[in-house]
């Protein structure tokens, strides 16, 4: 700001402060005609004056005003450490922002500098440190990446990725945000917040200026300068003296227009405050108006606390009713009535977007000439359409996210003063510690994630060696089809029409990029046929039949010269072998094998052709750290050794890096969602590439190893209760979405279930109305598949406790206490109706067999001897067992069988394919065996009467997937774990 400009601001400010609010507005209307920036600057200083209670000449006020001065202009062109400062691009309440060049890594960064006037202020430095530590703890594609933090020549800085695009504020001002785009922005921002909240971080300043939309439609949430760490201390080995900075009750931080009621009151906040703020942003994107407004900050706060926003339809008459519900729920003043997690909000936004897309497609089919860009709801300053907006025209930088609040009305300096008034002591020692022992930069923080599809129904993908094409699978209306996408232009080509009853797995490219491969699988079959097709079109060629579908997506792998294949063979006894053979099926040679309960899965041929990597695991159990590991097998002689000693809970896919430095794997370390990892070949500790709440289900690398294509998946579920199985009366009883598994009823109508909400798989209980939810186990053991006894005295569960390396069958009291080991190495089980016996299955070298054991312990009794039997369910009268059953013959598959409670040969076998092994339950009257059937992307419960009559549909849901189900003991209620499932193809680059 020039001296002349400052004198102009000061004169107008003095005049405004002498007037009341109404006269003041008139003065500014007249004095600031044609100069909106002048008005914003004056209003910012007025707001600061009112909030701080300062006199114009007070030192605090002058300090705030000095933020307007160009105190760092002389840095342009200079070096700050290894950063060359190119230009200043903005200011924020926490500092100035410069565009700089990182000379070490050759990239542009945004440098945020703390104003020199505050370098002697320990409070301000502490808040600056907190911003860095908060944001650098997060690794999520929708959150700005922190590259570096430090101090050079008494200038304190944070270096972040430089993000091109436009802020949501700019998008709102220019208009033209489509309805689908708005829903997508909200869902991505919710995903970012969900990841931050999971890490114990609350943003506390969500607003359009802090959300950026890149040209590729990716959202970035920036500026965690007001973030508050919750529940977790920030003391670490690298900074042992950094104290936790808490905001005092009664202190208001944030931007007034976007504050939650609890934030405006200055009381303790939690993650739900961000949900309220994001709700305001959604409202503004839809209508172009703020839901809470006023002439002064006090008026705005009063509006937030007392008034309800006008309905969306007031400004956008055609807005979907479901969107009104979502926004209204986000803006509930009572946070107990709000969305309880950001993930729940994300799920609802994604679901609505998918519904609108389907409606739009249906309208196109019925009326091809209809205008696809007709408005779905128009309000002041808003343009909502049912089609994603055209490419963004304007590009700005991440400066817009951290531009000073001074450049917006009624904010800015007030925030700066609030921060200065709150933050107290401690950071100078931290700066000393940081400079002396700076922690190395975390790998993979510079990676970029580009979404290649946005339909939510892309399931698997592969990228060509040169990175030009992406080959992927789409599931729509219950049918799967193959597509080829040109990465540079985004053009798509469908390869063949969708076929009924078929699925496609494991897409891949040949090493020279000329051919694509895929497995074609008949419905419910455990094996597929490998096909080859030219990239540019042609008839598919059948190469190999009976290829086993693996636990991992890496079902097969070609040698570097393309002349041989490596894959896993599965025999009738379920024993697995790693073999190499010619693509036509000849010349098969076994390299390694395992017998049950141990097994091999997946195959990845190394770039030098000497090694095939696979997964080694065991069905007999798991430790809390997982039980799968990576194994290398030499092609020449079959010699084997571990690639690393690290254990995994699940491995979904893996591939070699071209330089043989290690593997990139989609895996779960213990519980939770699958993430991408770098597994060093040297035997070092695996490092996480991604870290968010979505799951990654595939690994396909370019030949240079600089990019990986994968499917980015979200599996969310809630517990639903359907009285007497009546779908029309089904009600969701859990407010948050999660991973609810293995539902079991207690005699007093409570539901016992398995969840990894605590970070490890534990047993939880909840009332049938959703109240009284509590965790029953918390001893660090991994509990799975809990079942309550019919008399309510006990819960049985498989678990690995303490130093156990296998899972065992454990009995716990009904409250989760007093664990007693019943059987080692057991699997899924059920109670007899008298609660005296537990029927379970166990793997051995001969296959899967049924057993039973007394609830008081003792010697187990074997029930089946010849064929494979799994996942037993005992009939209500205790006389029969239903199970997944497979005869020991080549090319056989699991079906549903009925056996006597005493075991022996099956009484009946129903030709209902159960691959993978199904969850099955008896209907309450014992007349049928019920199972989950998913058709056209929707799951329902079906029942197979044991008298042999045709199976019948028992529920009539029109959407979502069902993951688990069970009837109450009295048969009057059906509990289900169900929810939406979305998956899109993403390209991750610059992760090395």
């Amino acid at each position: 700001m020039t001296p002349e400009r400052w004198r102009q601001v000061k004169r107008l400010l003095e005049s405004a402060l002498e007037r009341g609010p109404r006269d003041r507005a008139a003065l500014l209307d007249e004095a600031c005609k044609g100069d909106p920036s002048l008005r914003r600057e004056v209003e910012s200083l007025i707001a600061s004056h009112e909030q701080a209670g300062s006199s114009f000449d007070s030192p605090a006020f002058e300090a705030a005003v000095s933020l307007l001065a160009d105190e760092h202009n002389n840095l342009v062109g200079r070096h700050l450490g290894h950063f060359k400062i190119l230009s200043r691009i903005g200011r924020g309440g926490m500092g100035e922002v410069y565009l700089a060049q990182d000379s070490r890594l050759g990239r542009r960064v945004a440098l945020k500098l703390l104003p020199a006037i505050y370098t002697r202020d320990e409070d301000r430095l502490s808040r600056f440190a907190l911003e860095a530590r908060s944001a650098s703890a997060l690794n999520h594609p929708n959150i700005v990446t922190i590259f570096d933090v430090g101090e050079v020549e008494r200038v304190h800085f944070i270096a972040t990725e430089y993000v091109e695009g436009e802020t949501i504020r700019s998008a709102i001002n220019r208009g033209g945000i489509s309805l689908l785009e708005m829903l997508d922005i909200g869902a991505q921002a919710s995903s970012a917040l969900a990841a931050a909240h999971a890490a114990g971080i609350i943003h506390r300043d969500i607003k359009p200026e802090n959300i950026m939309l890149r040209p590729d439609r990716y959202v970035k949430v920036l500026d965690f300068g007001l973030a508050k760490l919750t529940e977790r201390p920030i003391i670490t080995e690298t900074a042992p003296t950094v104290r936790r900075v808490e905001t005092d009750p009664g202190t208001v931080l944030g931007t007034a227009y976007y504050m939650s009621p609890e934030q405006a009151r200055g009381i303790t906040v939690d993650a739900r405050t961000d949900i309220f703020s994001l709700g305001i942003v959604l409202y503004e994107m839809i209508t172009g108006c703020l839901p809470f407004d006023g002439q002064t900050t006090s008026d705005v706060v009063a509006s937030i606390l007392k008034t309800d926003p006008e309905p969306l339809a007031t400004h956008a008459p055609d807005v979907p009713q479901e969107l009104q519900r979502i926004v209204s729920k986000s803006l509930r003043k009572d946070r107990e009535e709000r969305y309880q997690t950001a993930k729940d909000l994300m799920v609802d936004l994604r679901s609505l977007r998918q519904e609108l897309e389907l409606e739009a497609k249906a309208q196109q089919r019925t009326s091809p000439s209809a205008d696809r860009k007709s408005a779905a709801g128009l309000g002041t300053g808003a343009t909502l359409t049912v089609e994603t907006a055209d490419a963004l025209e304007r590009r700005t930088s991440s400066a817009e996210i951290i531009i000073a609040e001074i450049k917006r009305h009624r904010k800015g300096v007030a925030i700066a003063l609030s921060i200065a008034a709150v933050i107290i002591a401690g950071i100078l020692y931290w700066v000393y510690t940081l400079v002396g022992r700076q922690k190395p930069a975390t790998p993979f923080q510079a990676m970029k994630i580009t979404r290649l599809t946005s339909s939510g129904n892309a399931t698997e993908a592969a990228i060509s060696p040169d990175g030009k094409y992406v080959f992927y699978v789409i599931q729509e209306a219950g049918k799967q089809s193959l597509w080829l996408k040109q990465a540079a232009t985004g053009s798509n080509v469908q390869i063949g029409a969708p076929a009924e009853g078929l699925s496609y797995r494991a897409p891949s490219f040949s090493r020279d990029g000329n051919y694509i491969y895929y497995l074609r699988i008949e419905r419910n079959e455990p094996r597929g046929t490998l096909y080859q097709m030219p990239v540019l079109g042609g008839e598919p060629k059948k190469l190999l039949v009976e290829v086993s579908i693996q636990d991992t997506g890496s079902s097969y792998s070609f040698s570097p010269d393309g002349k041989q294949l490596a894959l896993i063979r599965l025999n009738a006894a379920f024993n697995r072998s790693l073999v190499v053979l010619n693509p036509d099926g000849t010349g098969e040679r076994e390299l390694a094998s395992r017998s049950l309960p141990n097994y091999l899965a997946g195959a990845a041929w190394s770039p030098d052709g000497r090694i095939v990597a696979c997964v080694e695991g065991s069905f007999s159990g798991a430790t809390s750290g997982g039980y799968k590991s990576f194994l290398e097998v030499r092609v020449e002689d079959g010699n084997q050794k571990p690639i690393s000693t690290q254990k995994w809970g699940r491995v979904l896919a893996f591939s070699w890096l071209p330089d043989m430095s290690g593997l990139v794997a989609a895996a779960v370390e213990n519980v939770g969602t699958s993430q991408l990892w770098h597994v060093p070949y040297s035997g070092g500790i695996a490092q996480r590439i991604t870290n968010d709440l979505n799951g990654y289900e595939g690994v396909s690398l370019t030949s240079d190893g600089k990019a990986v294509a994968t499917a980015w998946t979200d599996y969310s579920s809630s517990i639903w209760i359907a009285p007497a199985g009546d779908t029309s009366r089904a009600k969701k009883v859990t407010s948050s979405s999660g991973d609810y598994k293995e539902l079991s009823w207690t005699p007093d109508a409570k539901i016992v279930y398995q969840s990894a909400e605590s970070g490890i798989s534990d047993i939880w209980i909840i009332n049938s109305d959703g109240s009284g939810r509590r965790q029953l186990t918390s001893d660090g053991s991994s509990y799975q598949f809990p079942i309550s006894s019919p008399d309510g005295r006990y819960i049985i569960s498989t678990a690995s406790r303490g130093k156990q390396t296998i899972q065992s069958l454990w009995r716990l009291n009904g409250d989760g206490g007093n664990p007693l080991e019943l059987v080692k190495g057991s699997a899924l089980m059920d109670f007899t109706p008298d609660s005296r016996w537990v029927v379970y299955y166990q793997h051995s070298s001969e296959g899967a067999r049924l057993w039973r054991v007394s609830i008081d312990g003792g010697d187990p009794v074997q029930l089946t001897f010849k064929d494979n039997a799994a996942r037993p369910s005992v009939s209500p009268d205790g006389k029969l067992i239903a199970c997944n059953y497979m005869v020991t013959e080549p090319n056989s598959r699991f079906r549903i069988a009925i056996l006597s409670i005493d075991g022996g040969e099956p009484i009946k076998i129903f030709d209902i394919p159960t691959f993978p092994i199904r969850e099955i339950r008896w209907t309450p009257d014992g007349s049928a065996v019920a199972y989950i059937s998913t058709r056209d992307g929707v799951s329902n419960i079906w029942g197979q009467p044991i008298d042999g009559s045709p199976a019948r549909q028992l529920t009539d849901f029109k959407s979502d997937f069902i993951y688990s189900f069970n009837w109450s003991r009295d048969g009057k209620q059906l509990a289900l774990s169900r929810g939406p499932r979305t998956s899109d193809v993403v390209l991750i680059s610059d992760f090395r």
Side-chain angles (χ1 to χ4, degrees), residues 8 82 136 310 312 331 355 390 420 479 674 677 690 697 732 746 769 901 956 966:
Q8 182 184 12
H82 56 89
S136 64
E310 293 180 327
L312 296 176
L331 295 178
E355 291 174 10
D390 294 335
K479 300 178 182 179
S674 172
W677 296 76
T690 61
E697 300 191 355
K732 185 167 70 170
T746 64
D769 63 359
I901 190 65
D956 190 27
N966 210 336

Side-chain angles (χ1 to χ4, degrees), residues 845-901:
S845 59
E846 297 178 347
R849 302 291 186 263
L850 295 188
W851 297 72
R852 74 179 181 193
V853 67
S854 169
I855 192 62
D856 297 319
D859 294 331
V861 177
Q862 188 169 351
L863 300 180
T864 60
F865 298 87
K866 179 183 177 183
D867 298 320
N868 292 285
R871 189 137 196 166
S873 179
V874 180
S875 63
D877 62 8
K879 296 180 180 180
L880 301 173
I881 300 171
C883 65
N884 294 255
Y885 198 87
M886 186 178 74
V887 297
T888 307
E889 295 177 357
N891 303 324
S892 58
R893 62 183 181 181
F894 273 110
R895 293 172 171 83
I896 291 180
I898 308 295
L899 296 81
S900 165
I901 190 65

Side-chain angles (χ1 to χ4, degrees), residues 132-365:
R133 299 186 67 83
S134 298
S136 64
L138 303 173
N139 181 5
H140 187 276
N142 296 123
I143 296 176
V144 67
T145 302
I146 297 290
F147 294 144
D148 199 2
V149 58
E151 182 260 348
V152 177
E153 298 177 3
R154 293 184 296 178
V155 176
H156 302 269
F157 67 86
I158 297 176
T160 73
E161 63 177 309
Y162 178 75
V163 183
E164 289 188 294
E166 68 174 347
T167 64
I168 300 305
R169 167 65 59 212
S170 297
I172 291 172
N173 289 342
R174 69 171 169 79
I177 300 179
S178 73
L179 178 56
L180 293 184
E181 187 173 35
M182 184 278 296
L183 292 170
D184 189 43
I185 291 167
Q188 291 190 60
S190 300
S191 179
L193 292 177
H197 297 163
I201 297 170
I202 306 170
H203 189 287
R204 305 210 314 159
D205 197 23
I206 292 296
K207 56 188 176 183
E209 288 77 9
N210 279 347
I211 304 174
M212 174 167 277
L213 184 62
R214 297 191 328 197
D216 60 3
R217 294 298 192 275
Y218 235 88
V219 164
K220 285 282 187 177
V221 179
L222 287 83
D223 199 354
F224 279 78
L226 297 174
K228 174 186 175 183
L229 290 179
T230 60
E231 299 180 349
R232 300 183 185 183
I234 62 172
I235 296 175
T236 66
E237 293 180 0
T238 58
T241 61
V242 177
R243 63 181 180 84
R244 177 173 173 158
V245 180
E246 296 286 358
T247 302
D248 295 334
T251 300
V252 177
L253 290 180
T255 304
Y257 291 95
Y258 302 91
M259 285 181 180
S260 66
E262 58 271 22
Q263 199 175 8
R265 289 191 180 100
I267 62 177
T268 303
V269 301
D270 58 26
R272 291 170 293 184
T273 196
D274 288 342
I275 294 173
F276 189 93
S277 299
L278 184 55
I280 297 175
V281 175
L282 293 173
Y283 188 103
E284 192 174 5
M285 282 196 290
I286 297 164
T287 67
C289 306
L290 284 164
F292 310 105
D293 207 346
Q295 287 192 345
T296 67
T297 300
S298 299
D299 293 337
V300 174
V301 170
S303 177
I304 291 170
L305 296 176
K306 297 177 182 180
T307 62
D308 292 324
E310 293 180 327
L312 296 176
T314 303
H315 305 281
D318 298 323
V319 72
Q321 186 60 37
E322 174 64 5
L323 184 54
Q324 174 67 67
R325 184 195 68 80
I326 291 171
V327 174
S328 295
K329 187 173 181 179
S330 303
L331 295 178
R332 298 273 172 84
K333 298 188 188 301
D334 183 349
R335 52 184 164 186
E336 295 298 328
E337 298 178 359
R338 240 175 266 159
Y339 281 101
Q340 299 298 291
T341 70
K343 185 173 183 181
D344 286 340
L345 175 57
M346 176 191 72
V347 168
D348 281 359
L349 290 169
R350 283 183 176 177
S351 297
L352 176 58
R353 186 176 188 272
Q354 290 171 18
E355 291 174 10
L356 294 176
E357 283 182 325
L358 290 174
E359 290 177 7
K361 289 179 181 179
Q363 290 174 1
Q364 280 183 268
R365 287 193 291 268

